[in-house]
Amino acid sequence: MEINNPIIFIDDDDDDQVIFKPLLEKIAPNCPIFFFTDGRKAIDYLRTTHDRPFLIISEVTMTMMNGLELRRQIEEDSELRKRAIPFIFFTHPVYKHLVEEAYELTIQGFFEKKQSVVELENQLQAIVLLVELSAP
């Protein structure tokens, strides 16, 4: 399957966006990469587009709307829920209570960001591959 739908990346850390953009462009060169700095902006985008994103990757801890609240809003919106968009948390640090809460929200994965660019690239490659292989 060729990946060509957008990848949505939500993180309020500008440095992470600078690091992840070239990695995602390399891993999924046919996917537009849309970055949002908080969950509210991502929800606004999702509610105004008819595209089904290939994948949503979200930080858990953000100042405006955290990733857990973002996932809750997607699950509570019947139109967004019907799109069945794969949702991954990609965060640092990882706390057990956040992992438990996240998996109650029917996510497809919860990953701790690695420290090196090579390790981050390997993680993202594995995530994209798993989503691609599980696509209908």
Side-chain angles (χ1 to χ4, degrees), residues 7 45 57 62 66 80-81 83 91 96 119 125:
I7 294 176
Y45 166 76
I57 301 171
M62 295 179 285
N66 71 39
L80 294 179
R81 190 176 59 248
R83 290 193 211 165
T91 192
K96 183 180 179 191
E119 289 175 310
Q125 280 181 318

Side-chain angles (χ1 to χ4, degrees), residues 99-121:
V99 174
E100 291 169 352
E101 187 174 351
Y103 275 104
E104 289 176 14
L105 298 170
T106 63
I107 61 168
Q108 283 63 53
F110 195 111
F111 299 87
E112 183 169 19
K113 294 175 188 171
K114 299 294 185 182
Q115 297 302 309
S116 78
V117 174
V118 171
E119 289 175 310
L120 289 169
E121 182 176 355

